[in-house]
Amino acid sequence: EVQLVESGGGLVQAGGSLRLSCAASGGTFDDYAIGWFRQAPGKERERVSCIRLSNSTTMYADSVKGRFTISRSNAQNTVYLQMNSLKPEDTAVYYCAATPDAPLVCYSGMYYYTFWGQGTQVTVSS
């Protein structure tokens, strides 16, 4: 069974950086897409970024474009989310999720994703 484990969250001041990791196990992931989502208290879970592992196509939400970078480590089945210039509004629990690859998968909502990690808290202080 596919398992996803996030790490790298924490407390950081505004303007700072964090790198989140999503370690995947239990499958072959070349034909998967990995998405990063976040959920702030009282808000709906929103898609932040996504990468299709078949061809490394990426996408970003407008709110993080230019500040966040998603990348992969093939050897370690790990996807990273480098977050720079963090803002207080980036505060949320961040989740990674996996789903079988498809052409528009990175534009699909959270219900399209099959496997989820447990989440990691990111808190940005002002």
Side-chain angles (χ1 to χ4, degrees), residues 8 46 78 98:
E46 63 173 344
T78 301

Side-chain angles (χ1 to χ4, degrees), residues 1-2 9 15 25 34 38 44 46 49 61 68 80 96 124-125:
E1 181 175 326
V2 173
S25 62
I34 303 293
R38 67 185 182 187
E44 294 186 353
E46 63 173 344
S49 184
F68 290 11
Y80 303 100
C96 67
V124 184
S125 63

Side-chain angles (χ1 to χ4, degrees), residues 75-123:
Q76 299 172 347
N77 270 352
T78 301
V79 172
Y80 303 100
L81 185 68
Q82 177 67 42
M83 307 187 295
N84 298 330
S85 301
L86 283 162
K87 305 175 181 180
E89 51 263 45
D90 294 318
T91 295
V93 178
Y94 284 69
Y95 301 88
C96 67
T99 191
D101 191 26
L104 297 178
V105 65
C106 279
Y107 297 91
S108 300
M110 58 177 286
Y111 298 107
Y112 194 83
Y113 286 77
T114 309
F115 305 103
W116 289 82
Q118 81 288 351
T120 185
Q121 176 71 46
V122 171
T123 303

Side-chain angles (χ1 to χ4, degrees), residues 15-115:
S17 299
L18 285 173
R19 188 177 80 157
L20 305 184
S21 299
C22 174
S25 62
T28 302
F29 296 96
D30 289 348
D31 293 326
Y32 274 74
I34 303 293
W36 282 99
F37 292 77
R38 67 185 182 187
Q39 188 166 19
K43 294 188 176 181
E44 294 186 353
R45 193 169 299 189
E46 63 173 344
R47 184 182 57 240
V48 174
S49 184
C50 175
I51 184 168
R52 296 178 61 192
L53 299 183
S54 61
N55 58 14
S56 296
T57 300
T58 60
M59 70 78 63
Y60 299 93
D62 288 342
S63 58
V64 306
K65 203 169 291 184
R67 299 188 297 123
F68 290 11
T69 303
I70 192 169
S71 63
R72 60 184 297 186
S73 169
N74 288 347
Q76 299 172 347
N77 270 352
T78 301
V79 172
Y80 303 100
L81 185 68
Q82 177 67 42
M83 307 187 295
N84 298 330
S85 301
L86 283 162
K87 305 175 181 180
E89 51 263 45
D90 294 318
T91 295
V93 178
Y94 284 69
Y95 301 88
C96 67
T99 191
D101 191 26
L104 297 178
V105 65
C106 279
Y107 297 91
S108 300
M110 58 177 286
Y111 298 107
Y112 194 83
Y113 286 77
T114 309
F115 305 103

